[in-house]
Amino acid sequence: MMSDRERRRLYHVIKWLWLLLQALVLPLAALHAVSAAVRWPLVLPAPLLIFAGAAFLVLWLITQALLAMARFPLTLKGALLLVGGTVAQFTFLVASGGSLAAAAYAVFFAILAALAALVAIMAVIAVRRQIGSPRARLTALLALLPAAGLLWFLAAPLRPNISGLSSWRPALDWLVLTLNSGLIVLSLYGFSIFAAPSENDAAYTREWERWAAPTIILLILSAVAAVVLAGIGRRV
């Protein structure tokens, strides 16, 4: 049995691993997105592509900030599940024959897919509970269509990498990605307005204060590195 001090130390190691992994994911994912530009389902003008990339970058950073500071699991078991899911997905895709950049993009996609799934869950709950005006509820449901389209658009660089594998491997790769997204949804759902009131708000606040500085610094450095590498990749 581990002592409380050992458990806390292991928890800190897992949290730092999460932050460092996410800091590496964004630059590698940017490289893969640029190299796979010809695979996008639509050929968009450069300004629109830059705007879309910036929008996805902001969404990803917001999600990461929420996960790392506001809703990172407080228990060792929860932290192991969340971080282990990302590590397992990344490792599995690399072992399947994918590149490090492609595996990083898959993790990037899994996080945005989790965010889209959370929005869809909240929209359905709002409709079922008759929250808001009928027009607002209808708008929420109709908004799921472009959200699904955006996910299909973002998945374009993944499809050639996965479909090139043996017949049973693509389904397994997508299953691992989906399971990882599900773990992220579970962590993020506690932040939504539909979640039951948390009994650990004070503990989450302490974690927020403790990890805010390193999280913000790492995410800023990661975003800058991603923008620089994407710019270099476009010119090569």
Side-chain angles (χ1 to χ4, degrees), residues 19-32:
L19 291 178
L20 293 174
L21 279 173
Q22 302 311 317
L24 289 174
V25 159
L26 195 55
L28 289 174
L31 277 179
H32 183 70

Side-chain angles (χ1 to χ4, degrees), residues 14-162:
I14 294 170
K15 184 68 174 281
W16 274 113
L17 177 60
W18 172 264
L19 291 178
L20 293 174
L21 279 173
Q22 302 311 317
L24 289 174
V25 159
L26 195 55
L28 289 174
L31 277 179
H32 183 70
V34 171
S35 66
V38 295
R39 301 171 186 166
W40 295 107
L42 296 174
V43 179
L44 299 177
L48 286 180
L49 281 175
I50 293 174
F51 177 79
F56 292 135
L57 175 62
V58 170
L59 287 174
W60 189 87
L61 290 173
I62 291 173
T63 306
Q64 281 304 316
L66 289 176
L67 278 172
M69 294 189 294
R71 271 300 175 265
F72 193 83
L74 296 176
T75 64
L76 181 59
K77 179 181 177 181
L80 282 170
L81 280 174
L82 178 61
V83 179
T86 295
V87 172
Q89 178 191 330
F90 187 85
T91 304
F92 189 84
L93 291 177
V94 172
S96 296
S99 66
L100 291 176
Y105 185 88
V107 172
F108 173 82
F109 175 80
I111 292 172
L112 289 182
L115 182 61
L118 180 66
V119 172
I121 290 170
M122 290 192 292
V124 171
I125 291 175
V127 172
R128 292 189 62 183
R129 295 183 182 179
Q130 301 293 306
I131 298 174
S133 65
R135 180 177 295 180
R137 295 196 295 272
L138 178 60
T139 301
L141 286 179
L142 292 178
L144 299 181
L145 295 177
L150 286 175
L151 285 181
W152 178 78
F153 179 80
L154 284 171
L158 293 177
R159 287 192 286 266
N161 294 85
I162 295 179

Side-chain angles (χ1 to χ4, degrees), residues 139-216:
T139 301
L141 286 179
L142 292 178
L144 299 181
L145 295 177
L150 286 175
L151 285 181
W152 178 78
F153 179 80
L154 284 171
L158 293 177
R159 287 192 286 266
N161 294 85
I162 295 179
S163 62
L165 304 173
S166 58
S167 58
W168 60 272
R169 211 55 185 265
L172 196 54
D173 284 345
W174 284 110
L175 176 61
V176 172
L177 191 153
T178 303
L179 290 175
N180 186 33
S181 292
L183 290 173
I184 297 171
V185 168
L186 291 177
S187 295
L188 286 175
Y189 182 76
F191 198 78
S192 72
I193 60 174
F194 299 107
S198 175
E199 299 178 356
N200 298 316
D201 284 339
Y204 278 119
T205 299
R206 287 194 298 271
E207 287 298 303
W208 178 290
E209 294 171 349
R210 184 179 293 116
W211 292 96
T215 299
I216 292 171

